[in-house]
Amino acid sequence: MTNPLDQPLETDLSAELQERKAGFGKTTVVLGVSVLAIVAFVGGVFVQKSFGAAETPARQTAAGRVPGGTPPSGAQQRPNGGFGRGTAGTIDHIEGTTVFVKTQNGEIVKVSTSDTTKVEITSAGKLADLKAGQQIVVQGQAGTDGTVSGQTITQRPTTG
């Protein structure tokens, strides 16, 4: 029996290799583009994790609170459910120039007003335009006793 490796080659491989077209085939191009797309996607994910926001910003009230949510980090909670820059809730009642706001957690926050307090309903309004049961947002400075010095009171649209 003869060894097949001892036999001379019948065709010249160098001639066949020279006949092959130079360049990339379709499959190579498609695989290359696919790899680049995957690398770009993964790179985007890492960039988002490093530089992007932790979560999508939710609609916030003027007091910096997400309705029904918790105060922003760093906000100092005041007595009676108020927060450093104001409060939001439903008007419980009004006594003279003081508005009592019931927050979503059921606490009553006393809001003192002055002649410079702006009351905004769909247009500019007055303290007398506010009624118990209306949803409002109060902007102002909270005192150490929990009373908010109202600078702006905005009536929120009725929901439901």
Side-chain angles (χ1 to χ4, degrees):
M1 182 176 250
T2 63
N3 187 352
L5 295 177
D6 292 337
Q7 301 290 327
L9 290 174
E10 294 179 16
T11 59
D12 185 15
L13 289 179
S14 60
E16 284 185 32
L17 289 174
Q18 287 176 354
E19 288 179 15
R20 181 142 173 86
K21 290 193 302 185
F24 299 110
K26 246 187 206 180
T27 305
T28 305
V29 171
V30 169
L31 286 175
V33 169
S34 299
V35 167
L36 284 174
I38 291 170
V39 168
F41 176 77
V42 171
V45 168
F46 284 118
V47 168
Q48 175 65 23
K49 280 185 177 181
S50 298
F51 300 108
E55 55 188 55
T56 305
R59 183 178 62 99
Q60 294 187 346
T61 65
R65 274 181 50 132
V66 177
T70 58
S73 63
Q76 187 176 18
Q77 185 166 0
R78 306 291 183 177
N80 297 329
F83 291 91
R85 302 200 78 170
T87 190
T90 304
I91 297 172
D92 187 64
H93 65 283
I94 300 172
E95 291 179 7
T97 60
T98 303
V99 179
F100 293 85
V101 179
K102 186 174 187 177
T103 64
Q104 290 187 345
N105 64 3
E107 299 289 331
I108 302 293
V109 177
K110 180 179 171 183
V111 177
S112 61
T113 65
S114 67
D115 291 339
T116 61
T117 301
K118 288 189 269 180
V119 176
E120 299 172 353
I121 303 179
T122 50
S123 58
K126 297 180 184 175
L127 190 58
D129 296 328
L130 300 175
K131 304 288 182 242
Q134 291 176 321
Q135 294 285 318
I136 61 171
V137 175
V138 177
Q139 289 179 303
Q141 191 62 36
T144 56
D145 65 349
T147 299
V148 176
S149 178
Q151 294 172 339
T152 304
I153 299 174
T154 305
Q155 178 183 347
R156 295 190 333 198
T158 306
T159 59

